[in-house]
């Protein structure tokens, strides 16, 4: 069974605890602190595997953990870092937060590997806490906890063109004629239960990738049948070939069929209804007399004023197929090569500091603005300020948490100093 969505639990590793110990050697009566630091927890990473094309593996394994960092040891021994957990997914997988449905990452095109949950930092050993007034510190820093969340994986096939329509209108026959794909073909509903991908090769120009989206039915947008599973695969496509049974071999009105399917596309995602579309009026090889001209005229009168061209074709005989494919290629050239990518909507870093308190105060003696509290300590513990992404998160954190607003309320001016634990910087608006 083809699986194109899965719900899994993921967790990064906890940082190892710092160690409390003191140097004990012969002839050294009172050695100083020598507790080592804990190791860093492993990251939870998603990575594309070109050899995968379904999410079937996630039906059997639903929990993925990176390992914890080892605690520090005596004699300044640093604990070993935890091992990263790399989760392999097929190209086109979108990772969403299960609670909000927001996009965390789109594993596609340039984004081949992404750290989704960072491991916790290891705690500092007691050697770091020695001061002239506290020469035997009996305290070490605990490791930072790992991060955890439940995510939804959705596989959205990567194709330039989506082939849509009711079941049994000839999509699989068309795909087998124009590509190297070998879909199963039979005369019953839901013959195609998996999206079939194929490459269309055209003489004199580059080809394109086309996906046969399994037959949609009325109510698909509400999840009737396998509606949601099928509809999500259309979201990456740049253009749709809407195939209809122009000869009404099953007694359905092709005009109504198109309107129903377009209604389902709009109900599922209004953006889909705005995508370029072309109608392939199939099965014209079984018309008698003037029937073809009558039906095609009705379709053209209805849809071409809306900017949707109609091509009479026969997937069986090949009639009109070449004209349709070259038209589609021209449209793709106009649309351009920019891929359909799902923008990041959910920032996992926000999990770290969501509900923790903090304070913003002014130290009049040192003339320094001090920001501290569990929320600040956690944020600094997980954020790499040397990286561009980490610095962007830090700036967003200052704004969205209200810290900048509170600093301004306390009268901070350009050039004033702000201190956050070990971090100190000058404020400029």
């Amino acid at each position: 069974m083809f699986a194109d969505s899965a719900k899994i639990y993921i967790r990064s590793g906890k940082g190892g605890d710092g160690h409390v110990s003191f140097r004990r050697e012969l002839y050294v009566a009172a050695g100083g602190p020598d507790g080592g630091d804990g190791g860093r927890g492993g990251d939870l990473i998603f990575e594309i595997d070109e050899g995968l094309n379904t999410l079937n593996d996630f039906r059997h394994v639903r929990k993925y953990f990176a390992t914890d960092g080892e605690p520090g040891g005596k004699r300044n021994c640093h604990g070993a870092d935890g091992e990263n957990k790399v989760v392999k997914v097929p190209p086109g997988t979108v990772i969403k937060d299960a609670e909000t449905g927001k996009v965390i990452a789109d594993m596609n095109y340039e984004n081949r590997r992404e750290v989704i949950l960072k491991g916790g930092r290891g705690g500092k050993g007691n050697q770091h806490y020695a001061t002239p007034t506290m020469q035997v510190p009996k305290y070490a820093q605990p490791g930072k906890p790992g991060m955890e969340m439940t995510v939804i994986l959705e596989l959205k096939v990567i194709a330039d063109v989506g082939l849509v329509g009711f079941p049994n209108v000839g999509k699989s026959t068309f795909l087998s004629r124009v590509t190297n794909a070998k879909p199963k073909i039979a005369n019953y509903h839901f013959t195609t239960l998996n999206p079939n991908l194929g490459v269309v090769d055209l003489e004199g120009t580059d080809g394109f990738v086309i996906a046969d989206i399994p037959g949609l039915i009325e109510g698909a947008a509400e999840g009737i049948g396998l509606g949601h599973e099928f509809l999500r695969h259309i979201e990456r496509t740049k253009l749709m070939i809407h195939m209809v049974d122009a000869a009404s071999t099953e007694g359905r009105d092709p005009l109504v069929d198109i309107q129903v399917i377009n209604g389902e596309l709009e109900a599922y995602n209004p953006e889909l209804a705005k995508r370029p579309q072309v109608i392939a009026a199939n099965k014209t090889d079984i018309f008698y007399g003037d029937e073809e001209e009558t039906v095609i005229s009705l379709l053209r009168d209805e849809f071409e004023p809306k900017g949707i061209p109609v091509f009479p074709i026969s997937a069986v005989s090949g009639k009109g197929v070449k004209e349709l494919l070259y038209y589609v290629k021209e449209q793709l050239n106009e649309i351009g090569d920019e891929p359909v990518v799902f923008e990041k909507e959910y920032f996992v870093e926000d999990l770290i500091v969501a509900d923790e308190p903090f304070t913003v105060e002014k130290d009049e003696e040192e003339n320094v603005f001090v920001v501290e509290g569990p929320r600040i300590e956690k944020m600094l513990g997980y954020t790499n300020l040397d990286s561009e992404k980490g610095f962007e998160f830090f700036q967003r954190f200052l704004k969205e948490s209200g810290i900048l607003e509170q600093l301004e309320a306390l009268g901070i001016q350009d050039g004033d100093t702000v201190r956050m634990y070990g971090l100190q910087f000058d404020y400029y608006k």
Side-chain angles (χ1 to χ4, degrees), residues 8-15 42-46 62-66 68 95-99 104 116-120 144-152 346-355 378 382:
I8 62 171
Y9 169 83
I10 56 176
R11 190 186 72 198
S12 61
K14 173 188 176 298
D43 295 336
L44 196 293
I45 301 169
F46 277 80
R62 296 183 178 271
K63 294 183 178 180
Y64 296 83
F65 309 99
D68 298 338
I95 305 165
K96 294 182 176 181
D97 171 48
E99 190 173 334
I104 298 170
I116 301 299
L117 300 180
K118 286 185 177 294
K144 301 294 182 185
M147 301 166 67
E148 58 183 346
M149 68 187 305
T150 300
V151 297
I152 301 288
Y346 188 96
F347 295 87
V348 176
E349 293 93 334
D350 295 339
L351 277 172
I352 307 163
V353 294
D355 301 315
K378 275 193 175 185
Y382 281 100

Side-chain angles (χ1 to χ4, degrees), residues 14 80 182 189 227 258 309 322 327 332 334 362 383 404:
K14 173 188 176 298
K182 297 290 185 285
H189 289 328
I258 296 169
K322 184 182 289 187
Y327 173 81
L332 290 174
E334 288 186 19
K362 183 176 182 180
T383 307
L404 292 181

Side-chain angles (χ1 to χ4, degrees), residues 243-282:
M243 185 165 285
V244 291
D245 177 1
S248 302
T249 57
E250 296 195 343
R252 291 198 313 267
D253 183 340
L255 209 104
V256 174
D257 278 4
I258 296 169
Q259 292 168 337
V260 167
I261 296 298
N262 283 344
E264 295 301 325
L265 295 175
E266 185 163 16
Y268 178 74
N269 181 349
E271 289 298 314
L272 290 179
K274 300 174 185 176
R275 300 263 169 93
Q277 191 175 127
V278 54
I279 292 170
N282 193 25

